[in-house]
Amino acid sequence: MTRPQSSAARELGLKRGEFDLAVRLGRIRTVAVPGGGRRRVPREEIERIQEAEGFPDTLREQVRVVGTAEGAELMDIPATRFTRLARAGMLTPAKFYVNRYRAVVWLYLAQELREFAAAEVNVPLLTGRTPDKLRARLQAGGDLRPKNWRARHSGYLLGQAVGPWERAAALATLLDPTQLAELLESPYERAHLHRLRPEEFWYGAPESPSAAVVRDIMTADDPDEISWLRGSLLLNLAQARRSCPAPRLAADAVPVAVTPVAAPQAVTSEHVRLPPRARPRSLWDRLVGRGA
């Protein structure tokens, strides 16, 4: 017996955003629904969580997120140092949202920040001079917050996948269409991955300016990251092709390509701008239409 996610959230005393984050962090197990649709929560999973010591306060604390100001206060450091640590990749965002000015506001797990501050090995990062390696990275304009968030997000996507085609589809969501076009010559495979792509319900209407900013964040832009994604995708595609070729009928139902439009330029909440990219209205439509 399973419950819809909205019902499970109410039974666990969580707001919808808290529940979604708990799922993404692996705190709440969900299962796929035969025939597709949103994943559901097993009844026994709800009972397991409810019977845990400290429920519901412990669960809420595990998914509590804070922004830069509150995070700096938790760690007892200035907000400017907190931002430098986050940009240098020492603190990993758990989630983000795009405000009405299309600024990206990064949020962090309060529990992780307290653990980071309590670790003796991190004391030099919290006081005194910033290490030369981190300083050089920041002076070069580096900002690893999007990359670190994608690393956490890819772990969630791969954890939900049930086979090599699903894993390949999850990895494909993080690559630019031009990267995918180089790896996937077959229109049938492109169509199959399009059909299996993980559904996202949390970043607004597909045509909204906010969604364009989110797509920009979700697309890998670091050379090492891209190399890892391409290699992992090729490995999963090789396994998938051996286990079951892509259905040839799937390509017939794929929409035609659309004209790319320029994505709005985003700025972070700390006034760090993300470089704009030309984006199609749908990340997948352009890929699937290419060469079909």
Side-chain angles (χ1 to χ4, degrees):
M1 181 178 178
T2 61
R3 300 283 286 167
Q5 293 190 26
S6 56
S7 299
R10 287 193 297 270
E11 293 186 53
L12 294 174
L14 296 176
K15 297 177 181 178
R16 191 52 189 264
E18 293 174 330
F19 178 87
D20 290 343
L21 182 57
V23 171
R24 291 177 180 276
L25 295 173
R27 308 293 187 187
I28 301 174
R29 182 173 64 90
T30 61
V31 294
V33 178
R38 296 210 69 177
R39 297 171 68 91
R40 294 169 68 93
V41 183
R43 179 72 245 176
E44 58 269 24
E45 177 71 358
I46 296 174
E47 294 173 351
R48 179 190 68 81
I49 296 171
Q50 290 174 332
E51 293 169 0
E53 183 178 355
F55 175 84
D57 295 336
T58 300
L59 178 60
R60 289 200 189 103
E61 185 58 28
Q62 288 175 342
V63 296
R64 185 165 79 90
V65 291
V66 296
T68 296
E70 190 174 355
E73 186 176 348
L74 278 176
M75 299 176 69
D76 195 24
I77 59 176
T80 52
R81 182 178 288 269
F82 182 97
T83 299
R84 289 198 299 270
L85 289 174
R87 289 183 58 208
M90 305 307 297
L91 306 174
T92 300
K95 63 186 297 186
F96 67 89
Y97 67 89
V98 182
N99 66 18
R100 61 178 178 172
Y101 304 109
R102 294 202 292 273
V104 180
V105 181
W106 298 101
L107 300 172
Y108 307 81
L109 288 171
Q111 188 176 66
E112 288 186 353
L113 298 183
R114 283 194 295 267
E115 292 172 355
F116 185 95
E120 186 175 352
V121 70
N122 294 326
V123 171
L125 297 172
L126 304 178
T127 60
R129 179 182 173 86
T130 302
D132 292 339
K133 185 176 181 179
L134 298 187
R135 183 183 295 273
R137 184 182 299 165
L138 294 171
Q139 288 176 345
D143 187 351
L144 294 180
R145 287 172 294 185
K147 179 183 177 181
N148 280 355
W149 177 85
R150 285 192 297 269
R152 193 191 290 268
H153 184 58
S154 67
Y156 161 73
L157 294 178
L158 291 172
Q160 301 294 296
V162 296
W165 280 116
E166 288 79 6
R167 289 194 295 271
L171 294 165
T173 64
L174 301 175
L175 284 170
D176 186 271
T178 57
Q179 298 281 341
L180 292 175
E182 295 177 4
L183 302 176
L184 289 165
E185 296 182 359
S186 167
Y188 304 106
E189 291 185 346
R190 294 198 298 268
H192 195 44
L193 291 187
H194 174 76
R195 185 176 63 83
L196 295 175
R197 72 195 186 282
E199 292 292 338
E200 298 288 4
F201 301 91
W202 50 276
Y203 60 79
E207 304 300 325
S208 69
S210 294
V213 174
V214 171
R215 285 196 299 270
D216 193 69
I217 292 174
M218 289 184 66
T219 303
D221 58 5
D222 178 85
D224 291 338
E225 180 185 15
I226 292 172
S227 178
W228 181 86
L229 287 169
R230 286 172 62 102
S232 299
L233 177 58
L234 287 173
L235 285 175
N236 280 283
L237 284 173
Q239 295 176 8
R241 289 161 180 158
R242 287 194 298 268
S243 62
C244 179
R248 296 183 66 83
L249 295 179
D252 299 336
V254 176
V256 297
V258 296
T259 303
V261 296
Q265 191 177 41
V267 298
T268 69
S269 56
E270 291 81 18
H271 309 294
V272 179
R273 291 187 174 273
L274 298 172
R277 289 195 188 95
R279 289 278 178 228
R281 284 177 292 173
S282 166
L283 186 63
W284 281 89
D285 288 346
R286 176 178 155 196
L287 168 66
V288 177
R290 185 182 176 117

